[in-house]
């Protein structure tokens, strides 16, 4: 069998392993850590369970698709429910908004709570849907770095959307032209953080992102986000994929313009196909030091990172939901701190994810597990110990004001994740969550492609390459890699249905 080696068991690497196994490859995944998942892992802290990384789940059909490809029934491995409401928003002036799953209900709620015209909300969601459907097949589902992408019929649909894509304006400017209420503009602007970007710099093209939540929906997988990775690893192992944990890849072996395998501290492994699920920067700097690197791509501005406080809260708060966002007073100043000053605003927007709202066993009785996150710059030499301390105070003050209680007295246990630890644990360069940012109109085209143009047999998946980061985009990167590689043996039905 043709051997394929995958470096890293993040969600993109696992999904690629499944796609290649279905195509007949003999697949081995090498992981530096003790278990799979990359950023998508879990941990327990004094009786509280936490999903450590991603917390929002959209486009679940991309997970179902992997089981279907392998001839399995997805619900035998993995189940999920559609959220309603999706997110509970809070503003400093005391106003609140529940983002209901039904677009019509959400539009009416926005009119009642914020005074925004319901029809304007309907129109912006309809536009987002139209632009997504018109462009996704070209810009998300295919490689942007192959000529055949631009010769397909899908390009005609994309061309029909160009005038409305907002390529010449920013997200924020596009939103302020549509809505006068600064709170609803802030709500729309926050979708830039889906891929670690700044709505005051990122192109208006990113305004198609709300379609994912407000038209398709947001979902919660039974067992938490970690169950996505766990169910897919189970499938991969059934298909014959081997996972080698605690075995860090030290070098990609090349010969005569081709990737021919990898080397670890335990030995050398030959392969006809090598797929890196690592961030593209350390892939070149550490694993391919003797190969010319695509410097223009590697030097693109990095995305934002995250500072996360995992708190066991010794009380329940019925006014909070699974997803909660407490906005800052000055959103522009907050992003200036992140991208210009390389620091954290003293009044950051705070995201609180509480999975015990969905699964009581995630926290002791009468308690809740809080995943509390603020967007922060990637690591550039900042004093994170000091930033963690001052931001913790800002966050607890904000939450205490909103909840009218002294939250600091309710924190029973705590663990913290910062950009330095993100880089250390996941090889995400400088702790940037999504590789490069999308803060210019050509950012999508400047992401690294899903294949090497210099080394035959070398491919890339995951958040730092096309089409970007987040669960659905990592799964799409795996789909693109799968489409680039041929079937090498007839479908192995005995493995697929074992």
């Amino acid at each position: 069998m043709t051997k394929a080696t995958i470096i890293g068991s993040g969600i993109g690497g696992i999904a690629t392993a499944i796609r290649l196994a279905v195509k007949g490859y003999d697949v081995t995944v090498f992981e530096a850590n003790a278990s799979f998942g990359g950023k998508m892992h879990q941990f327990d802290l004094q009786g509280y369970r936490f999903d450590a990384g991603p917390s929002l789940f959209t486009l679940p059909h991309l997970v179902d698709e992997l089981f279907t490809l392998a001839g399995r029934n997805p619900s035998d491995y993995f189940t999920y429910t559609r959220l309603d409401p999706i997110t509970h928003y809070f503003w400093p002036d005391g106003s609140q908004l529940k983002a209901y799953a039904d677009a019509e209900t959400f539009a009416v709620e926005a009119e009642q709570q914020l005074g925004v015209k319901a029809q304007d909300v309907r129109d912006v969601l309809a536009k987002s849907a139209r632009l997504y459907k018109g462009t996704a097949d070209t810009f998300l589902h295919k490689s942007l770095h192959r000529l055949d992408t631009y010769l397909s019929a899908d390009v005609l649909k994309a061309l029909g959307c160009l005038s409305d894509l907002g390529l010449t304006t920013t997200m924020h400017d596009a939103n302020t032209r549509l809505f006068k209420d600064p709170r609803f503009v802030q709500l729309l602007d926050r979708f830039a953080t889906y891929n670690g970007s700044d709505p005051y710099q990122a192109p208006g093209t990113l305004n198609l992102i709300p379609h994912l939540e407000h038209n398709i929906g947001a979902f919660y997988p039974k067992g938490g986000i970690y169950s996505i990775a766990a169910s897919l690893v189970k499938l991969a192992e059934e298909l014959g994929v081997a996972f080698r944990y605690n075995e860090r890849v030290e070098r990609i072996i090349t010969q005569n313009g081709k990737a021919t395998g990898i080397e670890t501290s335990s030995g050398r492994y030959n392969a006809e196909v090598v797929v890196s699920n690592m961030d593209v920067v350390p892939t070149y700097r550490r694993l391919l030091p003797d190969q010319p690197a695509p410097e223009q791509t590697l030097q693109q501005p990095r995305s934002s990172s995250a500072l996360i406080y995992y708190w066991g809260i010794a009380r329940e708060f019925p006014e909070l939901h699974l997803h909660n966002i407490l906005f800052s007073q000055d959103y522009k100043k907050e992003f200036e701190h992140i991208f210009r000053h390389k620091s954290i605003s003293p009044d950051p927007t705070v995201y609180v994810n509480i999975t015990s709202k969905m699964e009581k066993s995630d926290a002791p009785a009468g308690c809740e597990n809080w995943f509390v996150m603020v967007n922060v710059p990637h690591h550039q030499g900042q004093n994170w110990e000091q930033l963690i301390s001052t931001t913790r105070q800002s966050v607890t003050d904000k939450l205490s004001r909103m909840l009218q209680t002294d939250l600091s007295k309710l924190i029973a246990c705590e663990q913290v994740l910062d950009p330095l630890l993100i880089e250390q644990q996941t090889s995400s360069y400088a702790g940037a969550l999504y590789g490069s940012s999308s803060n210019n109109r050509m950012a999508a085209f400047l992401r690294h492609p899903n294949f090497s143009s210099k080394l035959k047999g070398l491919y890339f998946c995951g958040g730092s390459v096309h089409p970007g980061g987040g669960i659905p985009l990592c799964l799409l990167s795996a789909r693109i890699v799968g489409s680039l590689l041929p079937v090498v043996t007839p479908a192995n039905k005995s493995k697929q249905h074992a």
Side-chain angles (χ1 to χ4, degrees), residues 15-28:
T16 302
I18 291 168
R19 288 182 177 277
L20 298 191
V22 168
K23 286 194 165 190
Y25 291 79
D26 179 7
V27 185
T28 302

Side-chain angles (χ1 to χ4, degrees), residues 305 379 382 384 418-425 430-431:
S305 186
H379 176 59
Q382 298 94 329
W384 288 105
D418 64 21
L420 286 174
L421 283 173
I422 291 171
E423 180 173 31
Q424 176 186 322
Q425 295 173 5

